[in-house]
Amino acid sequence: MARTVLVTGVSRHIGARVASALAADPEIHRVIGVDTAPPPSATLDDGALLGRTEFVRVDLRSPDVARVIRAADIDTVVHLSLVSGPSHSRTAMKEHNVIGAMQLLAACQRSDTVRRVVIRSTTAVYGSSPHAPAVFTEDTEPVDGARSGYEKDAFEIEGYVRGFARRRPDISTTVLRFANFMGPGVDSPLTRYFSQPVLPTVLGFDPRLQFVHEDDAVEVLHRLAGEDHQGVFNVAGDGVLLLSQCARRAGRPVVPVPSPAFGLLGGLARSAGLVDFSPEQIALMSHGRAVDTGRIAAELGWRPKYTTAAAFDDFLASRGASPADVLGVLGGLLRRR
């Protein structure tokens, strides 16, 4: 059982929730949360948000994380500091994701106390392609490879994790490839997309999507912080939803546009801060992605409580505002162009 746990990325929603769950576990002696800034409005001494988690301001790109691991005799590391949103420039995002992970793994490699490392990854490493299989397993190689942005960062990080696992076979190393998070507290490019009053779609495509509810993500991360299950595991709610089904459930009208126009519209929306349409996001909205979750069910005897559809419905229930007329907003963007 984990005794002293380091959690990275606690300034973001999932990281804060995982740290809080671990801090509430009476079998865990100490939880240290690190990030470049504390969670918004967090108070660390009144039981709110992070509970008894000890927060330390650390930039993972610096050597400071090694000093934290050494000083606190960390035995378990849960790495959740992977950013995908548009609030970071591409250069800053890559440095945070890839360089930060490299520094953390190097610190774990030099440690005499670390015995377990759990890495948050993403099913985006498989990419989205017209040549992709209907369902990805953990052993499936991406057909076209991870070419850009967030998915490329995750792909590179997993390469460093494999190297780390070879050099330190005595450390239990687990990689969790999560489908897109969904739930009341999730703020991501995809939840921002579905929060728009009108949903632009790529003409001629109706992609399959999978989601994992934030509660299920927190549960499996909490569990794996205390158990040794080496290897790579897909994590997603059962079933898939077509994009058209998501739009109907959300009560949002759709506007099919040709792929080049979808990219142009995405650039305008991104520049206005409305929603992120990165190249990998556009590929997902064209070709979709679905993964098999049989390995984690067999290894842990665990299945998510929320299906893909139930996770999406819970997200919708939390966003009860009625749709406004966004056509004028998009028209204004085009006129500004």
Side-chain angles (χ1 to χ4, degrees):
M1 184 64 200
R3 297 293 297 165
T4 307
V5 184
L6 177 79
V7 183
T8 71
V10 295
S11 72
R12 285 170 288 279
H13 180 66
I14 296 296
R17 287 203 57 190
V18 171
S20 178
L22 292 168
D25 188 334
E27 295 190 25
I28 295 178
H29 173 66
R30 190 179 183 193
V31 180
I32 296 177
V34 300
D35 213 324
T36 54
S41 305
T43 53
L44 307 182
D45 57 358
D46 66 355
L49 195 58
L50 294 184
R52 60 185 175 91
T53 300
E54 303 168 46
F55 176 76
V56 181
R57 190 186 300 268
V58 170
D59 188 333
L60 292 182
R61 296 170 295 180
S62 75
D64 293 344
V65 67
R67 288 192 279 270
V68 174
I69 289 174
R70 185 170 54 252
D73 291 334
I74 298 294
D75 59 68
T76 299
V77 173
V78 181
H79 180 45
L80 307 177
S81 190
L82 183 66
V83 299
S84 61
S87 58
H88 294 71
S89 71
R90 177 63 194 126
T91 300
M93 179 177 164
K94 183 177 180 64
E95 288 182 357
H96 177 95
N97 288 339
V98 179
I99 305 302
M102 289 174 61
Q103 286 279 13
L104 178 65
L105 291 170
C108 292
Q109 182 177 326
R110 294 191 298 268
S111 171
D112 296 326
T113 59
V114 172
R115 292 293 175 263
R116 183 182 299 112
V117 174
V118 181
I119 304 289
R120 170 200 162 187
S121 188
T122 167
T123 58
V125 297
Y126 298 117
S128 296
S129 163
H131 309 296
V135 178
F136 287 100
T137 69
E138 290 86 348
D139 299 322
T140 307
E141 291 293 332
V143 176
D144 294 331
R147 298 185 180 279
S148 64
Y150 171 59
E151 66 181 38
K152 184 177 181 181
D153 289 353
F155 190 82
E156 290 184 21
I157 290 168
E158 287 199 16
Y160 293 121
V161 172
R162 288 191 293 272
F164 166 79
R166 287 193 298 269
R167 290 187 293 272
R168 290 295 305 267
D170 56 311
I171 296 178
S172 175
T173 305
T174 306
V175 175
L176 295 176
R177 291 175 177 164
F178 287 100
N180 289 284
F181 291 135
M182 195 62 65
V186 176
D187 178 23
S188 70
L190 204 58
T191 60
R192 294 181 187 186
Y193 169 79
F194 284 118
S195 298
Q196 300 305 304
V198 175
L199 305 181
T201 61
V202 182
L203 182 66
F205 293 92
D206 195 9
R208 296 170 305 146
L209 303 174
Q210 271 183 320
F211 309 125
V212 58
H213 194 278
E214 59 180 283
D215 291 355
D216 289 321
V218 171
E219 179 183 334
V220 75
L221 286 162
H222 178 193
R223 177 170 172 178
L224 284 172
E227 300 178 7
D228 291 338
H229 296 281
Q230 298 200 61
V232 179
F233 301 92
N234 293 330
V235 186
D238 291 341
V240 299
L241 283 175
L242 298 175
L243 179 56
S244 59
Q245 293 174 316
C246 293
R248 286 195 295 272
R249 286 173 178 266
R252 261 52 170 181
V254 298
V255 180
V257 296
S259 182
F262 190 91
L264 172 63
L265 186 63
L268 294 172
R270 184 165 60 248
S271 65
L274 296 176
V275 65
D276 181 42
F277 286 99
S278 60
E280 58 268 27
Q281 183 84 351
I282 294 173
L284 178 66
M285 303 307 283
S286 300
H287 308 295
R289 183 170 53 242
V291 300
D292 177 81
T293 58
R295 179 178 291 181
I296 197 167
E299 176 83 11
L300 277 70
W302 177 86
R303 299 200 74 90
K305 294 183 176 66
Y306 288 81
T307 64
T308 285
F312 188 66
D313 288 346
D314 193 45
F315 159 73
L316 293 177
S318 70
R319 310 289 173 101
S322 60
D325 182 6
V326 79
L327 293 178
V329 175
L330 294 179
L333 288 172
L334 292 171
R335 285 193 295 273
R336 284 166 50 190
R337 180 77 174 183

